[in-house]
Amino acid sequence: MNNCNTPPEIAAAYAEIGSVKAKRPVSYLILMGILAGAAIALGCAATNTAVYGIESTWIARTVCGLLFPFGLGMVMILGMELFTGNSLMVISVLERRCSISGMLRNWGIVYLSNFAGALVVAAGCAWFGQMNYSGGQLAVYTMKVAVSKCSMPLGNAFVLGILCNMLVCLGVLVSMSAKDTCGRIAGAYLPVCYFVICGFEHCVANMYYIPAALLAKAVPSYAALATEAGVALDTLTISNFLLRNLLPVTLGNILGGAGLGAVIWICHLKNRK
């Protein structure tokens, strides 16, 4: 029994999936988008909690890389709607299975829904005690991570966003090579593990990382601890979040995912008989 799809079969399967995504009801996209945003945010919260006390950067990045990828696995298995993965809908457009407007409709609704799901998790963690570990040191670490993201040069954020979503979308496609649950999770695991270890930028993950820090900053005890630790809280602003990080990272994610989708279509679908 063949338990693996070929590359052309994977590309054709995603062309069909993308055509379905373009036609799904708004209510479905919103609910599945919120769930996907929350799933990714919970992975972010888990990795922050696991590594906030680790001083060695390479150990911390490796631990994050081993834990975080299960979020994408949940998204894939349960049919949630994740903006970054949906960049592959370019395959459906090139295959003439959906329109550009249908793709953009999906992207817009799912992006905002992912944001909503991530914000709910961020508020729960920042305002209801999840960051109280070690007397609030988890909150301090959360703010340190966000400050580094908000002070990143625009070009870095854009290019790291491209590299990130190339790996995320590779994970989506590789997972589709399998016909069983374990194979699908394993297929998504390593590419996402790589992007986390390398510190690439994922817009939906940043919808948790930075808002969670902004909300923690609004808690006086957390803000005082961060100030004592020398965290540059003046860098942690909504404008820096939206303009210096989220915007260039989102554009980079789109280019990385859509570019990969176009290459897959050219190589496996364009000239097929």
Side-chain angles (χ1 to χ4, degrees), residues 19-34:
S19 70
V20 173
K21 287 177 176 290
K23 299 171 186 174
R24 278 176 172 158
V26 173
S27 58
Y28 180 98
L29 295 176
I30 290 174
L31 292 174
M32 288 294 100
I34 290 173

Side-chain angles (χ1 to χ4, degrees), residues 9-94:
E9 287 172 340
I10 295 169
Y14 196 90
E16 173 60 25
I17 290 171
S19 70
V20 173
K21 287 177 176 290
K23 299 171 186 174
R24 278 176 172 158
V26 173
S27 58
Y28 180 98
L29 295 176
I30 290 174
L31 292 174
M32 288 294 100
I34 290 173
L35 284 177
I40 298 302
L42 289 168
C44 298
T47 54
N48 274 0
T49 304
V51 305
Y52 78 92
I54 299 176
E55 294 185 3
S56 173
T57 301
W58 75 265
I59 294 176
R61 297 312 307 170
T62 301
V63 172
C64 288
L66 294 175
L67 292 176
F68 185 84
F70 290 105
L72 182 62
M74 291 187 289
V75 169
M76 293 293 299
I77 297 301
L78 295 179
M80 300 178 194
E81 293 284 334
L82 183 64
F83 171 77
T84 46
N86 286 4
S87 298
L88 287 170
M89 288 177 68
V90 165
I91 295 174
S92 305
V93 172
L94 293 172

Side-chain angles (χ1 to χ4, degrees), residues 59-236:
I59 294 176
R61 297 312 307 170
T62 301
V63 172
C64 288
L66 294 175
L67 292 176
F68 185 84
F70 290 105
L72 182 62
M74 291 187 289
V75 169
M76 293 293 299
I77 297 301
L78 295 179
M80 300 178 194
E81 293 284 334
L82 183 64
F83 171 77
T84 46
N86 286 4
S87 298
L88 287 170
M89 288 177 68
V90 165
I91 295 174
S92 305
V93 172
L94 293 172
E95 194 65 1
R96 299 185 181 180
R97 301 298 302 274
C98 81
S99 64
I100 293 177
S101 61
M103 178 183 71
L104 295 178
R105 168 183 175 271
N106 175 282
W107 286 2
I109 296 170
V110 170
Y111 188 85
L112 294 176
S113 301
N114 288 169
F115 208 159
L119 286 176
V120 169
V121 176
C125 291
W127 287 348
F128 293 91
Q130 193 275 330
M131 295 185 186
N132 286 341
Y133 280 93
S134 302
Q137 290 306 306
L138 175 55
V140 174
Y141 177 80
T142 300
M143 286 182 271
K144 284 181 179 178
V145 170
V147 166
S148 69
K149 289 179 177 291
C150 286
S151 57
M152 183 180 298
L154 294 176
N156 290 17
F158 178 69
V159 173
L160 295 182
I162 294 173
L163 296 173
C164 170
N165 211 31
M166 286 178 63
L167 284 167
V168 170
C169 291
L170 280 171
V172 171
L173 293 173
V174 173
S175 75
M176 292 176 62
S177 69
K179 298 179 180 179
D180 62 282
T181 299
C182 290
R184 295 191 69 192
I185 292 175
Y189 186 88
L190 278 178
V192 176
C193 177
Y194 291 170
F195 106 64
V196 176
I197 290 175
C198 291
F200 298 152
E201 292 289 311
H202 188 272
C203 66
V204 179
N206 288 354
M207 292 172 184
Y208 169 83
Y209 283 126
I210 303 177
L214 287 165
L215 295 172
K217 178 184 174 182
V219 178
S221 60
Y222 292 160
L225 287 171
T227 300
E228 291 176 10
V231 180
L233 292 181
D234 56 333
T235 305
L236 190 55

